[in-house]
Amino acid sequence: MNRIKLDEALHAAREDLASTAVPEQDAAVAKAHMLAAFNRAQLAAAPAKPLAQEQRSRFFNFAGSLAGIGSTSGNDEGGDDRNGNANLFSARMLAMFTLGATILLIVWLLMPINMPASNSDLLGVSSSSTKTNLSNNLANLASGFMPLVDNEALAQAQHGWIVPTEMPLAELAALGLPFDASRAGDTVRAELLMNENGEVLAVRLLQDADVASSVSPPTAPPSPAQIS
Amino acid sequence: MSSASQAHKENAQTDQPLTAPLGPLGDGELAARIVAGDAAALEHIYARESGRVYRYALAMSHNATLAADVMQEVFVQFATKPQGFDASRGPLQAYLVGIARHQVLAAWVHEGRHSSLDVMNEDGEQEIKTSLTEEAAEWAEPGQQLVARQTHEELMRAIAQLPAPFREALVLVELQERPYAEAAAIAGIELNTLRTRLHRAKAKLAKLLGAQAVNE
């Protein structure tokens, strides 16, 4: 029998193993999942929008100046005036109360605007999103939108946003949609249907037919009757 | 034909072309970029390291499907928490293979092949002792023993029959050519323990392959 030294056999095994590549399909799928996980992690770690922070800062400065407790006009250095300074205490309490109430009002007003934006940052959403009444868009839902939530959740949504976006095909994995892994690097124009909480309810692909053919919906689009 | 033999065998050394600007960066700098949200740095790491992670899992498990799953999970974990890598503790390659090692063990536990993850740690020494044959221990240089010429598939099948601690030492040092210190760090064992396991792995493998003395 033909015999060789064990070390020589191991050397041959080493060479063979080194020439073994990851199967192309597995590599593409793994990469898509990796990027989707990366995007989810980035979204979860994303800080509050700078614009909102700036607006709040401006508001604090404005309200503070009205109440006489702005950072530049504060009287923390005037420790001698504390005794008997009831008017100042009352003014501070009033200012704090006013600030609190106004902040709550502003947060309430901004909420439906900011929340979809935070989700759309990741997906490269343009600023041309439009608010829509879901009950008036049944035709849209029946003409190309692929639901990403069950019909019950869809039916519960009263108002939402149709958000145009362009996303890599690989991002479809993050939305739970199957895609052609060999085309993971391609981008696709799409519209996302979001509810007021920023959750993506459905997606509609707007690209050309050959890209569309690489994506198959997990379920048939709901009929208007199902949603209503 | 086993699933392992179905793996592609082309362009494995380079895997995918690297992104030029990221090439000179060290592991720490690349990881910092990923933490800062640079997806290109992550793709660069994937192109550079995915093949090695896959081949480690393939050699350990002799199962191409499991190897692909392990590779995917390794990079999903890394993408989710890149700050877990500390460049001062070793190269990124070793860190990723360390995650792969844990994934392989978890898969074995899930399959019921082992009852706990201690199988390849110090607590698993009992398995080593019980599986060591006297004949194997007698061979001072098992690597010099003559064995029947094998196909790659037959040899990998024989390696897969080795106890996990032996197999790991053989895969890390002999098949992946890692430095002893790095292999010991990945396996979480002392350097001398790694050497002992490697020697015994070769002895047992020689026995499995029907070794004969060199002078025969």
Side-chain angles (χ1 to χ4, degrees):
Chain A
M1 179 184 292
N2 192 2
R3 304 186 84 85
I4 58 172
K5 289 180 181 175
L6 177 63
D7 277 347
E8 293 171 358
L10 287 173
H11 178 78
R14 184 187 312 146
E15 302 269 303
D16 271 341
L17 184 65
S19 67
T20 302
V22 185
E24 199 172 303
Q25 181 83 0
D26 291 334
V29 170
K31 185 176 180 181
H33 279 279
M34 175 191 73
L35 292 174
F38 179 70
N39 287 338
R40 280 196 300 271
Q42 292 296 313
L43 179 62
K49 289 180 71 65
L51 182 60
Q53 289 177 340
E54 186 180 333
Q55 286 171 336
R56 284 181 192 167
S57 176
R58 283 180 188 167
F59 172 77
F60 272 109
N61 289 339
F62 173 69
S65 63
L66 283 180
I69 59 168
S71 58
T72 55
S73 59
N75 62 350
D76 287 345
E77 294 174 6
D80 293 339
D81 296 335
R82 286 178 191 156
N83 190 16
N85 201 350
N87 288 339
L88 180 58
F89 178 77
S90 298
R92 283 183 168 175
M93 292 298 292
L94 179 62
M96 289 176 67
F97 176 79
T98 307
L99 279 173
T102 313
I103 288 170
L104 287 175
L105 178 63
I106 287 178
V107 168
W108 181 75
L109 289 173
L110 291 179
M111 192 176 296
I113 298 173
N114 282 339
M115 295 187 78
S118 62
N119 263 1
S120 61
D121 284 346
L122 171 70
L123 299 168
V125 172
S126 75
S127 57
S128 59
S129 54
T130 53
K131 195 171 184 179
T132 183
N133 185 318
L134 293 184
S135 60
N136 292 337
N137 278 274
L138 299 180
N140 283 337
L141 288 168
S143 60
F145 268 108
M146 288 178 282
L148 302 175
V149 296
D150 57 36
N151 289 338
E152 186 179 350
L154 205 56
Q156 287 175 351
Q158 295 299 314
H159 297 280
W161 300 83
I162 292 179
V163 184
T165 182
E166 184 163 336
M167 56 204 280
L169 271 176
E171 293 290 348
L172 296 177
L175 298 174
L177 296 174
F179 70 101
D180 182 357
S182 66
R183 306 187 61 177
D186 293 353
T187 58
V188 56
R189 289 191 305 113
E191 286 182 341
L192 304 178
L193 185 64
M194 292 175 161
N195 67 11
E196 291 182 314
N197 293 327
E199 294 167 340
V200 181
L201 304 176
V203 60
R204 177 166 61 185
L205 304 178
L206 303 175
Q207 75 299 334
D208 52 80
D210 64 321
V211 175
S213 66
S214 68
V215 181
S216 58
T219 58
S223 68
Q226 283 177 311
I227 297 169
S228 60
Chain B
M1 179 181 290
S2 78
S3 55
S5 64
Q6 297 171 359
H8 290 205
K9 295 195 172 193
E10 51 187 19
N11 301 325
Q13 297 286 11
T14 54
D15 292 316
Q16 298 173 34
L18 302 182
T19 309
L22 297 171
L25 296 182
D27 288 347
E29 294 168 299
L30 286 169
R33 283 196 178 201
I34 295 169
V35 170
D38 185 349
L42 180 63
E43 292 187 55
H44 175 81
I45 291 290
Y46 179 81
R48 194 184 75 184
E49 302 295 347
S50 59
R52 286 178 231 192
V53 170
Y54 174 80
R55 287 188 282 276
Y56 165 81
L58 181 64
M60 285 298 293
S61 66
H62 194 56
N63 182 326
T65 303
L66 176 61
D69 289 345
V70 165
M71 180 194 71
Q72 175 177 310
E73 188 56 32
V74 165
F75 284 95
V76 165
Q77 281 193 25
F78 179 61
T80 303
K81 196 178 178 184
Q83 58 270 33
F85 168 65
D86 180 357
S88 66
R89 297 177 61 184
L92 179 60
Q93 181 189 134
Y95 175 73
L96 295 174
V97 169
I99 301 176
R101 176 181 188 269
H102 186 81
Q103 291 295 323
V104 169
L105 290 171
W108 287 346
V109 169
H110 183 71
E111 292 170 3
R113 290 175 59 179
H114 298 287
S115 58
S116 80
L117 295 183
D118 291 333
V119 64
M120 290 214 295
N121 297 327
E122 289 301 321
D123 294 341
E125 287 299 318
Q126 185 60 36
E127 181 179 346
I128 297 175
K129 289 172 184 170
T130 56
S131 61
L132 179 63
T133 63
E134 289 184 3
E135 297 91 331
E138 288 171 358
W139 292 340
E141 290 294 335
Q144 297 303 307
Q145 294 291 315
L146 291 177
V147 298
R149 187 181 289 277
Q150 309 284 324
T151 65
H152 174 70
E153 179 61 27
E154 291 167 339
L155 185 59
M156 295 307 290
R157 198 180 302 128
I159 291 172
Q161 292 177 38
L162 294 174
F166 294 175
R167 192 187 327 155
E168 180 175 52
L170 195 74
V171 167
L172 291 173
V173 177
E174 288 292 335
L175 299 189
Q176 295 210 299
E177 295 186 282
R178 294 180 189 278
Y180 276 62
E182 184 180 310
I186 291 172
I189 56 178
E190 298 292 330
L191 206 55
N192 284 337
T193 306
L194 178 80
R195 287 198 176 99
T196 303
R197 288 185 181 184
L198 181 61
H199 181 86
R200 293 175 177 175
K202 285 185 177 182
K204 188 162 182 60
L205 184 62
K207 181 175 171 54
L208 285 170
L209 298 176
Q212 297 175 356
V214 176
N215 56 5
E216 283 185 9

